[in-house]
Amino acid sequence: MASGTTAPPPPASLPRIVAASLIGTTIEWYDFFLYGSAAALVFNKLFFPDSDPLVGTLLSFLTYAVGFAARPLGALVFGHYGDRLGRKKLLVLSLVMMGGATFAIGLLPTHASVGAAAPVLLTVLRLVQGFALGGEWGGAVLLVSEHGDARRRGFWASWPQTGAPAGQLLATGVLSLLTAVLSDDAFGTWGWRIPFLLSGLLVMVGLWIRLSVDESPVFKEALERSESRREQAEAEKLPLVAVLRHHWRDVLVAMGARMAENISYYVITAFILVYATTSAGVSKQTALNAVLIGSAVHFAVIPAWGALSDRVGRRPVYLLGAAGIGLWMFPFFALVDTGSFGYLVLAVTVGLILHGAMYAPQAAFFAEMFATRMRYSGASIGAQFASVAAGAPAPLIATALLADYDSSTPIALYVIAAAVLTLIAVGVARETRHRDLAEVTAEDGDPAATSPAAEARTV
């Protein structure tokens, strides 16, 4: 493809667009991760009190996994309308849905009050969270990717990716503060509700910023071209069909690329709260503080990895992260098993630095795979369908393996197997660093595809 020639936006607009994407993804990941941390710490007692503690944790993580199951549906729906109506409208809707569901969780009655209805209501709200997040990621990274130029796309597009560690940092920080200042009884009775209710205020801030930005210029140009071509009407109605027809290999690559990234992240940040407190004898506060420190470092290194991908390519950086996370798993658990806070911080921090090498270039890498009028659908489907097989069951599988084998070895092997899958997927992918998003076509790689006739058929 041609080297990046897309005209960058005015200097003052791109930071505002990045801020709008970042604040939204931070809030959405805050909401999503808050549930994961609460599932590991208190939901087993509040919503599944009749179960054995470890079984209750498994059931709690099962409702956590339900949110991932809804993410592909969110990717399909938001991707479809995002490719037809624009990125901005759908991003506003996803933020409102996620924030509303999280605020409602903070008002939920527990099992002690309404019995079996409590976990049912919790599961329904978790489904809404997953549906909203399934549509958020693709739109947020595309809004930034399609505004910037190719030379620094990896750097700028990595900033919405920092919303994940920022959300984790915020969620873990609030929980850590509350567990530090409240007794266990107070936190279990009412303190756990505070961070969920706080989401309502955060959503108002996010909406104020997100409503102030413009639609992607690349999308607007593609929309104008498509509206002038009546023969393309049927394909415009079904971006999903076009994605599966023209970009099915790219969807498979994206899914494979997500395996190690997704599984390792939830093992390092969610399952570790269970493992460190039950097997390593670490206090709940200590485990939360370790994740807090690791998330701060994670936030800082993601833009650096993104910038490196602009210099050496998306694939080399991604492959480094996948190989590194596989090699780190046995040292990771060995350090956690010491029970030392310093070693626990080291284990989590190094793991998240290596994860960042995969997560940072992912936004630009996935965006560069797909044509403009099917990019929201393609990037979202590839990312979110993989989450069902990767992130969704990761804490559940890790907890079950710990219950069955009472050892970290099978959990480490589980993450290593995911790393191998990612190495294969990214290894067979093509480098995308120099692509101009305005000219990516469904037949990318075919010289004829860059002709005006080919563009009229596919972009």
Side-chain angles (χ1 to χ4, degrees), residues 284-437:
K284 180 168 55 180
Q285 183 68 45
T286 299
L288 283 169
N289 288 341
V291 174
L292 191 68
I293 294 171
S295 295
V297 176
H298 194 210
F299 179 91
V301 300
I302 285 178
W305 285 123
L308 182 63
S309 78
D310 286 328
R311 296 179 63 86
V312 303
R314 318 299 183 213
R315 292 174 67 250
V317 177
Y318 213 118
L319 290 169
L320 174 64
I325 204 69
L327 294 172
W328 183 243
M329 276 301 101
F330 280 112
F332 171 82
F333 283 108
L335 289 169
V336 175
D337 286 338
T338 65
S340 163
F341 176 67
Y343 285 143
L344 180 60
V345 170
L346 178 63
V348 172
T349 301
V350 173
L352 289 178
I353 289 173
L354 294 169
H355 172 270
M358 294 181 282
Y359 199 55
Q362 188 180 98
F365 189 32
F366 289 8
E368 290 158 349
M369 291 181 183
F370 300 96
T372 301
R373 292 291 286 149
M374 56 190 82
R375 185 170 291 133
Y376 201 145
S377 295
S380 296
I381 290 168
Q384 303 308 334
F385 271 68
S387 69
V388 176
L396 190 65
I397 291 173
T399 303
L401 289 172
L402 179 62
D404 288 345
Y405 295 97
D406 194 27
S407 169
S408 63
T409 298
I411 305 168
L413 293 174
Y414 167 52
V415 178
I416 291 170
V420 172
L421 287 175
T422 293
L423 287 169
I424 294 171
V426 178
V428 302
R430 290 172 293 181
E431 181 57 60
T432 62
R433 174 167 58 116
H434 292 298
R435 291 181 180 173
D436 185 339
L437 293 185

Side-chain angles (χ1 to χ4, degrees), residues 2-9 144-157 306-307 309-311 314 364 368 432-438:
S3 63
T5 58
T6 304
V144 176
S145 296
E146 292 179 342
H147 271 89
D149 67 308
R151 290 174 300 172
R152 303 191 69 197
R153 185 181 299 126
F155 171 73
W156 288 114
S309 78
D310 286 328
R311 296 179 63 86
R314 318 299 183 213
E368 290 158 349
T432 62
R433 174 167 58 116
H434 292 298
R435 291 181 180 173
D436 185 339
L437 293 185

Side-chain angles (χ1 to χ4, degrees), residues 20 23 34 116 144 172 239 251 269 344 386 411:
I23 189 68
L34 180 61
V144 176
T172 306
V251 170
T269 60
L344 180 60
I411 305 168

Side-chain angles (χ1 to χ4, degrees), residues 43-335:
F43 279 1
N44 58 334
K45 301 173 184 177
L46 296 173
F47 294 94
F48 307 98
D50 297 331
S51 304
D52 172 84
L54 197 55
V55 174
T57 301
L58 280 169
L59 292 172
S60 184
F61 274 142
L62 187 59
T63 63
Y64 173 76
V66 163
F68 286 84
R71 282 165 69 171
L73 181 59
L76 289 173
V77 174
F78 279 83
H80 173 80
Y81 288 103
D83 281 331
R84 294 185 65 195
L85 304 176
R87 296 21 173 156
K88 177 180 173 179
K89 295 182 180 69
L90 275 297
L91 286 174
V92 169
L93 178 60
S94 70
L95 186 60
V96 172
M97 290 182 66
M98 174 66 89
T102 305
F103 186 83
I105 289 174
L107 300 175
L108 274 182
T110 64
H111 189 280
S113 301
V114 296
V120 171
L121 292 171
L122 181 68
T123 302
V124 170
L125 292 174
R126 181 61 173 173
L127 284 168
V128 175
Q129 279 191 324
F131 182 83
L133 189 60
E136 162 70 22
W137 182 83
V141 299
L142 293 187
L143 195 64
V144 176
S145 296
E146 292 179 342
H147 271 89
D149 67 308
R151 290 174 300 172
R152 303 191 69 197
R153 185 181 299 126
F155 171 73
W156 288 114
S158 70
W159 278 101
Q161 300 291 77
T162 64
Q168 179 76 67
L169 191 65
L170 189 58
T172 306
V174 172
L175 284 172
S176 181
L177 176 63
L178 289 171
T179 56
V181 301
L182 297 177
S183 66
D184 287 344
D185 287 342
F187 181 78
T189 303
W190 57 269
W192 67 272
R193 298 181 183 275
I194 294 174
F196 287 92
L197 297 175
L198 179 62
S199 179
L201 177 61
L202 296 176
V203 166
M204 297 303 295
V205 175
L207 283 175
W208 176 67
I209 297 175
R210 187 161 277 186
L211 286 168
S212 69
V213 302
D214 295 327
E215 182 56 80
S216 153
V218 173
F219 173 81
K220 288 192 288 188
E221 291 171 7
L223 183 61
E224 290 172 1
R225 289 196 299 270
S226 68
E227 287 176 345
S228 67
R229 301 193 301 269
R230 299 300 179 187
E231 66 274 13
Q232 187 72 2
E234 186 61 30
E236 294 300 331
K237 291 179 182 178
L238 296 171
L240 171 61
V241 174
V243 167
L244 298 180
R245 179 184 301 144
H246 299 293
H247 286 287
W248 62 270
R249 291 182 183 86
D250 296 316
V251 170
L252 291 178
V253 167
M255 291 177 66
R258 285 275 281 169
M259 297 306 289
E261 177 267 306
N262 222 215
I263 289 173
S264 65
Y265 188 77
Y266 290 105
V267 168
I268 293 171
T269 60
F271 171 72
I272 194 63
L273 298 178
V274 175
Y275 183 83
T277 55
T278 60
S279 295
V282 175
S283 71
K284 180 168 55 180
Q285 183 68 45
T286 299
L288 283 169
N289 288 341
V291 174
L292 191 68
I293 294 171
S295 295
V297 176
H298 194 210
F299 179 91
V301 300
I302 285 178
W305 285 123
L308 182 63
S309 78
D310 286 328
R311 296 179 63 86
V312 303
R314 318 299 183 213
R315 292 174 67 250
V317 177
Y318 213 118
L319 290 169
L320 174 64
I325 204 69
L327 294 172
W328 183 243
M329 276 301 101
F330 280 112
F332 171 82
F333 283 108
L335 289 169

